[in-house]
Amino acid sequence: MSYEFILDSITRKSNLVSFKLEDIRLQVENNEVADVTVNLDYIDGLNPSELKSIVPIANNIKDYLTNYLNNPNDLFEVINRNLTKELLTDDNLGLSEVLNSLSLNLDVAPAIIPFQFDSTNTRTPNGNINDIISFRLEDITSPIDGGIVADVTVNLDYVDGIDSSVFKDVIPIGNYIKDFLANYPVEAGLYEVLNRDLTQGLLNDSNIGLSGVLDSLSVNLAVSLKIIPFQFDTTITRTANSDINDIVSFQSIP
């Protein structure tokens, strides 16, 4: 395990201290390995003597993850939320009195989840909670336009403070995306339309059950060079009240 401590985060304009722990072995599932990035957002005007040493915080994180006592089949989102709460309620660390918010990102190496996955939990001392889950599917094939290959990045922004029991397993979501692209009509048209249809399909699928638990769903489709002779991707974001945002990006390659 290594520590990456970003000391220069403390400035006149910022009270943010960040550090990263790498290659922590989790005592769950198949003993996955994870990196943990921690952001401590200190209260404005705090006396410098009240800043906390990161070493006890890092040791607490390592001990908690390597000796996780809850259900060993808990989703990683649940583990991250429990870890964040543990750090804020530990009297020896004393974080709850000095922070505006504590944010933990748990980046899990592919094992049980066969793709890049990370969970970010942000919690304030007064109990406000925000959970964002991100994952990336690489080299997904589709028959449209004679056969394309694409990477798909998904961001699930859960309703603030939602009960952790309703977190969704990302594997069925990933399988839905693969099947959707593999069976999309060949006369696809614009990729922006395809991505809108995919995002809408994810929200409408009752087996996945995303529509009632998310503040927003964002899907980025990055298409490899073929029909479009330059780097191209499209991002669709749908909010809980059905607002849609489309961002299309492309870059010419010399």
Side-chain angles (χ1 to χ4, degrees), residues 11-81:
T11 70
R12 290 184 178 180
K13 296 182 179 179
S14 172
N15 298 312
L16 187 67
V17 174
S18 302
F19 63 94
K20 182 176 183 180
L21 290 72
E22 298 182 335
D23 300 332
I24 299 179
R25 183 74 61 178
L26 280 66
Q27 194 62 38
V28 294
E29 296 282 1
N30 283 359
N31 298 121
E32 287 88 351
V33 173
D35 296 340
V36 182
T37 301
V38 181
N39 290 296
L40 309 171
D41 182 11
Y42 281 96
I43 295 170
D44 292 344
L46 193 70
N47 191 305
S49 65
E50 296 182 87
L51 297 176
K52 303 299 181 180
S53 169
I54 66 162
V55 175
I57 302 172
N59 288 336
N60 185 300
I61 293 170
K62 178 184 176 183
D63 291 344
Y64 187 87
L65 293 177
T66 56
N67 299 286
Y68 190 71
L69 297 178
N70 291 36
N71 187 336
N73 296 315
D74 277 348
L75 295 176
F76 294 116
E77 300 93 308
V78 176
I79 295 172
N80 196 17
R81 186 184 271 199

Side-chain angles (χ1 to χ4, degrees), residues 171-232:
I171 294 178
I173 302 173
N175 290 336
Y176 179 97
I177 293 170
K178 292 178 183 178
D179 292 342
F180 185 93
L181 292 177
N183 296 292
Y184 197 77
V186 174
E187 61 279 5
L190 296 176
Y191 294 120
E192 300 91 315
V193 176
L194 182 156
N195 199 10
R196 269 204 182 195
D197 291 344
L198 171 58
T199 306
Q200 186 66 40
L202 286 171
L203 285 173
N204 289 345
D205 191 290
S206 58
N207 293 320
I208 296 177
L210 292 177
S211 61
V213 299
L214 297 181
D215 274 334
S216 68
L217 167 65
S218 181
V219 181
N220 174 273
L221 182 69
V223 183
S224 61
L225 302 181
K226 188 173 183 181
I227 301 299
I228 300 177
F230 41 75
Q231 181 180 322
F232 172 88

Side-chain angles (χ1 to χ4, degrees), residues 136-142 148-152 178 181 222 224:
R136 179 180 175 88
L137 308 172
E138 297 184 342
D139 299 332
I140 306 301
T141 59
S142 177
I148 64 165
V149 178
D151 296 338
V152 183
K178 292 178 183 178
L181 292 177
S224 61

